[in-house]
Amino acid sequence: MKLKVNEDLQKERLKCTFNTEELTNFLDGDANKTLSRRKLESFFLSDLNLKDKIPMEYLSHKERYEEAVRKSCILFKKVNEWQQSGDSGSNSMEVYKSLLGGSVGSAIIKDGSPFAVHYVMFIPTIMGQGTLEQQGEWVGRAFSNQIIGTYAQTELGHGTFIRGLETICTYDPATEEFVLNSPTLTSYKWWPGGLGHTCNYAVVIAQLYTQGKCHGIHPFIVQLRDEETWNPMPGIKIGEIGGKLGMNSTNNGYLAFDNVRIPRMNMLMKNAQVLKDGTYKKSVNDKLTYGTMIFVRVVIVRDLVSSYISKAAIIATRYSCVRRQSELKPGAGEPQILDYQTQQYKIFPAIAISLAYKFAASWLWDVYNDVTSQLEQGDLERLPELHAMACCLKAVSTADAAVAVTTCRLACGGHGYMNCSNFPNMYAMASAAETYEGENTVLLLQTARYLMKACQDAKSGLKLTETVLYLSNFKSLRRRNWITDLDCIGNAFLQVAGSKIENCYFAINQLINSGMSQEDAWNETTIKLSRATEAHCRAFVIQSFITTIKTIHLSSELMKVLTELCKLVCAHWMLNQMGDFLQYSNLKPSDVPSIQSLLEECLKRIRPNAVGLVDSFDVRDEILGSALGVYDGNVYERLIEDANKSPLNQEPVNESFHKYLKPYLKSNL
Ligand SMILES: Cc1cc2nc3c(=O)[nH]c(=O)nc-3n(C[C@H](O)[C@H](O)[C@H](O)COP(=O)(O)OP(=O)(O)OC[C@H]3O[C@@H](n4cnc5c(N)ncnc54)[C@H](O)[C@@H]3O)c2cc1C
């Protein structure tokens, strides 16, 4: 049944001062890309076989998994149909991005697909670390889903410290095979997505032994299950790890080996090699294996973070226009809750931040592509900078996404706590990304190492790369008088980051000079280091937002709105870290009220365009998956409709009444 659009939402849409389609096209790339994205979404989302009869959260753990596999099979079969339809207009990258990121895929399997790691890690690892011959053997079969793989690195005992992994892979020249073993309980692989029951192959990361010597960790392709019976291969112990905060259909698994033999050619040998006689040939550069890791982090920032933040903002904005509560002025009736300033403060930063990360991710994606083609030609110069930026952007953006989803949930009061709001699931998805693909603190500290080296280079007058160029001139910016405009604010972010990085550099050197070992000095400085890295990352995101709005050409109405959003991120982040700005930038205490006013003015100016902005994100109701965020605003109807889907509501009296409640009540007579 088609419902009338809620009047309040309708009025909000009429107030919008810019053309929402123009922003949609800009965010997609251009009008043609919007068109092909919409076609792609309709193609997948109109399939009745992919719709839920009962919401997934009412299913048991086992049923949820089985549904996820059923849907994944249909979904990935449809990819071929789509590509052959001639109607597609979008490249396969766009299709996989939509199915595996926060878009179409998240509408169909909210809890995550058990096939995700196959596409995001298994195939890219073979492409990045396999020889051409190995790619020929495996990539085609993997892409056409004749085999399904996962990426098995983490163990019960070690996640971050991969050099400490205990799985052993020993070369046997007599048979030209490797033999895999899990010598301890802590060496069990633990976590890989799809490993439980979905995959029959894995890239396994293990310590390589040949000719009696350990050569550290290397990747091996291992068959886990028989292709016909799906029984575990001899010597393979395998299972699922159990229930989690979220992502309960991704089938994360455990795995152990007891003398499992694989052919020599199953070691991915693009970089290091083991020859037939067992001779080990070292990789020319061990940094060559960074590619896949960086790729996944870039994808997280580009396709996941901004999607979850924007979905949270859409839901909270629309709901806050429909929801009326309390009284602002006596007798004037209940206002829309979006008219409360505190409500705007909870939601509008999420709208702005989702764009900020989108622009930063677009830089990261371009650099990733440049660096990858430079790597093919043996040029590694920009790899450390890319690695450093991918680490800190992944860490700061996923942490911000989890906070933004929570804040938008709180903005929806009690209803935000319902599963049908989609906030619980979105929080679980965003928060998982804080841990997987590099635990966030650890990633911040990896970037910190790069920043300490860059700081040393700046002091030695050496050439600096683009993202750390400011380390050589940030102090001169401090001499200027404060003006509350984007240039001055952008410079203040650089001053804060530069000063915090320099402080860490001096602190470490001071500790070392006082006789402390370098390692202890590092550990004693890690709180400061992680915060300095966060400041570096935020300065970068602000710079990329400012640069984007300075270089794009859109209508003046839209430019005005984007500029407000940019200012809002600046004011919001400055007020969150005001101590830093007072301590390290040219902002004086007397200038602080101007930042608070900027924030308040931005909220006021964004208010009439809030619904227009979130509409421009152009997320279909199925992808939002939220009773509170529906385009037509019929929130209360959706809440009742969803409550009636509860299995408990399928019968007027539950059997527990007859079994327990009635006997108990009667016993009290
Ligand atoms: C949803 C999900 C999916 C996953 N999917 C996969 C997968 O497909 N394949 C796979 O192999 N793995 C996967 N993982 C595992 C994931 O990669 C690890 O959980 C992650 O790398 C962190 O490792 P850990 O759990 O051992 O935490 P630990 O490394 O034990 O970290 C625990 C704490 O110690 C701190 N810490 C550790 N080292 C340092 C240090 N050097 N300096 C300062 N602090 C430190 C951390 O900051 C953290 O606070 C997944 C995890 C999750 C949650």
Side-chain angles (χ1 to χ4, degrees):
M1 186 182 54
K2 203 161 164 58
L3 298 169
K4 229 178 97 210
V5 175
N6 169 284
E7 268 181 30
D8 282 324
L9 263 187
Q10 197 57 43
K11 280 188 204 146
E12 294 291 337
R13 289 185 173 125
L14 293 173
K15 272 197 285 192
C16 182
T17 60
F18 66 95
N19 176 355
T20 55
E21 189 68 7
E22 186 187 2
L23 181 53
T24 306
N25 294 162
F26 169 64
L27 295 176
D28 279 320
D30 58 43
N32 284 333
K33 290 197 173 121
T34 300
L35 196 67
S36 53
R37 174 181 55 76
R38 286 179 182 155
K39 272 193 202 167
L40 177 96
E41 289 171 359
S42 297
F43 176 77
F44 284 98
L45 295 172
S46 59
D47 190 325
L48 294 179
N49 287 320
L50 291 172
K51 294 197 190 296
D52 291 331
K53 289 185 192 77
I54 306 171
M56 295 270 275
E57 58 264 22
Y58 291 123
L59 304 184
S60 70
H61 187 66
K62 187 163 168 273
E63 290 165 334
R64 246 189 224 211
Y65 167 66
E66 289 162 359
E67 261 302 276
V69 173
R70 184 187 73 80
K71 287 179 177 174
S72 297
C73 291
I74 300 177
L75 201 59
F76 290 101
K77 205 176 171 80
K78 280 179 85 77
V79 172
N80 292 340
E81 274 174 53
W82 169 251
Q83 281 166 341
Q84 283 156 17
S85 68
D87 198 23
S88 65
S90 51
N91 62 32
S92 55
M93 192 69 197
E94 290 302 313
V95 182
Y96 286 109
K97 179 180 132 183
S98 179
L99 298 189
L100 298 163
S103 180
V104 168
S106 73
I108 293 166
I109 316 173
K110 269 192 185 175
D111 240 4
S113 168
F115 287 24
V117 178
H118 171 69
Y119 289 103
V120 180
M121 290 295 295
F122 181 69
I123 298 176
T125 306
I126 299 175
M127 287 169 72
Q129 298 188 47
T131 60
L132 284 178
E133 191 190 341
Q134 289 175 316
Q135 291 181 34
E137 183 173 348
W138 300 102
V139 173
R141 292 178 74 203
F143 249 124
S144 56
N145 288 0
Q146 290 166 43
I147 60 169
I148 307 209
T150 184
Y151 181 83
Q153 178 171 296
T154 308
E155 296 174 358
L156 257 181
H158 290 96
T160 297
F161 186 59
I162 51 174
R163 271 182 290 144
L165 295 178
E166 297 173 87
T167 304
I168 289 172
C169 191
T170 311
Y171 185 63
D172 176 1
T175 57
E176 292 182 20
E177 288 173 320
F178 289 105
V179 188
L180 283 135
N181 275 295
S182 307
T184 57
L185 177 62
T186 46
S187 70
Y188 272 50
K189 293 292 174 191
W190 193 269
W191 269 119
L195 173 63
H197 302 84
T198 321
C199 300
N200 58 349
Y201 279 82
V203 167
V204 173
I205 309 298
Q207 301 286 355
L208 164 67
Y209 282 82
T210 179
Q211 297 178 335
K213 207 171 152 212
C214 179
H215 295 277
I217 53 163
H218 289 75
F220 302 87
I221 299 186
V222 186
Q223 183 173 356
L224 307 175
R225 290 178 179 271
D226 181 90
E227 291 188 20
E228 282 306 314
T229 64
W230 221 247
N231 279 324
M233 297 298 280
I236 299 263
K237 222 186 259 178
I238 195 167
E240 192 234 3
I241 63 171
K244 295 157 291 187
L245 175 75
M247 302 187 76
N248 277 303
S249 50
T250 50
N251 199 223
N252 299 78
Y254 70 80
L255 169 69
F257 304 98
D258 180 12
N259 285 314
V260 172
R261 290 187 164 260
I262 54 168
R264 181 179 68 94
M265 284 314 291
N266 280 24
M267 170 173 156
L268 292 174
M269 297 214 213
K270 181 172 175 185
N271 303 318
Q273 291 157 16
V274 171
L275 306 184
K276 280 185 185 169
D277 67 352
T279 305
Y280 178 74
K281 283 185 81 179
K282 210 171 165 281
S283 164
V284 269
N285 191 321
D286 55 5
K287 296 204 168 46
L288 286 172
T289 55
Y290 278 23
T292 324
M293 251 167 18
I294 297 177
F295 168 76
V296 182
R297 286 169 196 156
V298 173
V299 166
I300 291 172
V301 182
R302 199 185 64 145
D303 301 328
L304 219 81
V305 166
S306 112
S307 151
Y308 280 108
I309 303 178
S310 55
K311 284 204 260 186
I314 300 171
I315 298 167
T317 303
R318 288 188 184 150
Y319 175 72
S320 299
C321 290
V322 171
R323 181 75 166 177
R324 291 177 175 272
Q325 194 78 219
S326 313
E327 260 190 351
L328 203 52
K329 294 178 192 138
E334 289 185 287
Q336 291 166 289
I337 55 174
L338 197 60
D339 287 333
Y340 293 112
Q341 191 187 46
T342 44
Q343 186 75 0
Q344 297 168 10
Y345 183 52
K346 284 179 205 166
I347 302 170
F348 296 170
I351 301 180
I353 289 167
S354 79
L355 290 179
Y357 282 123
K358 207 172 170 60
F359 300 147
S362 144
W363 177 91
L364 195 61
W365 182 246
D366 291 345
V367 174
Y368 171 77
N369 283 318
D370 285 353
V371 171
T372 310
S373 52
Q374 286 160 9
L375 274 180
E376 303 289 320
Q377 282 133 40
D379 177 0
L380 297 165
E381 201 188 331
R382 288 198 79 188
L383 190 63
E385 182 185 30
L386 171 66
H387 179 245
M389 235 30 246
C391 286
C392 71
L393 267 172
K394 183 271 185 187
V396 177
S397 69
T398 53
D400 277 5
V403 171
V405 171
T406 301
T407 311
C408 288
R409 169 181 84 72
L410 295 172
C412 296
H415 297 335
Y417 196 69
M418 302 280 305
N419 276 338
C420 68
S421 72
N422 203 12
F423 282 117
N425 175 62
M426 288 198 302
Y427 175 74
M429 298 298 276
S431 183
E434 296 185 87
T435 302
Y436 65 61
E437 272 318 305
E439 196 280 328
N440 276 1
T441 307
V442 173
L443 290 189
L444 289 176
L445 293 175
Q446 285 197 21
T447 305
R449 288 207 186 269
Y450 176 81
L451 295 175
M452 289 304 97
K453 161 100 185 31
C455 193
Q456 168 72 59
D457 289 351
K459 305 230 163 293
S460 315
L462 296 175
K463 195 173 147 230
L464 298 173
T465 52
E466 182 188 339
T467 53
V468 286
L469 215 49
Y470 67 94
L471 289 177
S472 61
N473 70 354
F474 70 93
K475 282 185 191 148
S476 64
L477 302 171
R478 200 168 175 172
R479 290 190 285 274
R480 300 179 191 173
N481 281 332
W482 183 263
I483 315 165
T484 308
D485 69 9
L486 280 179
D487 284 335
C488 184
I489 292 175
N491 283 336
F493 273 89
L494 295 177
Q495 294 163 53
V496 168
S499 308
K500 293 185 84 152
I501 292 166
E502 193 182 54
N503 279 356
C504 292
Y505 177 81
F506 288 140
I508 293 175
N509 282 332
Q510 205 171 8
L511 290 171
I512 293 172
N513 291 339
S514 71
M516 199 180 267
S517 70
Q518 184 147 15
E519 295 78 11
D520 286 335
W522 176 264
N523 192 32
E524 293 284 305
T525 319
T526 43
I527 299 175
K528 284 203 274 282
L529 282 164
S530 53
R531 293 197 176 145
T533 305
E534 182 184 336
H536 168 70
C537 182
R538 292 197 190 280
F540 173 80
V541 175
I542 294 292
Q543 293 300 326
S544 84
F545 205 151
I546 296 175
T547 310
T548 305
I549 55 176
K550 275 190 182 166
T551 48
I552 52 176
H553 303 285
L554 297 167
S555 66
S556 60
E557 295 86 358
L558 184 50
M559 288 308 299
K560 237 191 245 170
V561 180
L562 291 179
T563 308
E564 287 307 328
L565 291 170
C566 181
K567 287 180 184 167
L568 177 61
V569 185
C570 293
H572 180 49
W573 284 359
M574 281 187 82
L575 289 165
N576 279 351
Q577 305 288 337
M578 189 42 83
D580 284 347
F581 284 86
L582 287 173
Q583 199 175 349
Y584 301 122
S585 79
N586 54 337
L587 183 89
K588 290 187 280 305
S590 57
D591 301 316
V592 176
S594 78
I595 307 300
Q596 181 66 29
S597 303
L598 177 66
L599 177 99
E600 290 161 9
E601 282 159 23
C602 286
L603 296 179
K604 211 175 268 172
R605 283 199 284 260
I606 291 164
R607 169 67 185 88
N609 283 319
V611 170
L613 275 165
V614 299
D615 282 353
S616 314
F617 294 161
D618 200 29
V619 179
R620 287 171 61 130
D621 280 350
E622 297 99 314
I623 296 174
L624 269 187
S626 169
L628 307 185
V630 279
Y631 183 84
D632 67 21
N634 290 297
V635 168
Y636 300 112
E637 289 80 353
R638 292 310 195 300
L639 282 168
I640 292 280
E641 202 181 292
D642 276 334
N644 284 331
K645 289 180 188 161
S646 162
L648 280 177
N649 290 332
Q650 306 316 309
E651 51 190 10
V653 178
N654 181 258
E655 65 173 332
S656 65
F657 170 72
H658 300 291
K659 268 167 107 175
Y660 311 115
L661 201 52
K662 191 172 175 187
Y664 172 69
L665 295 175
K666 299 291 176 202
S667 72
N668 292 334
L669 280 178

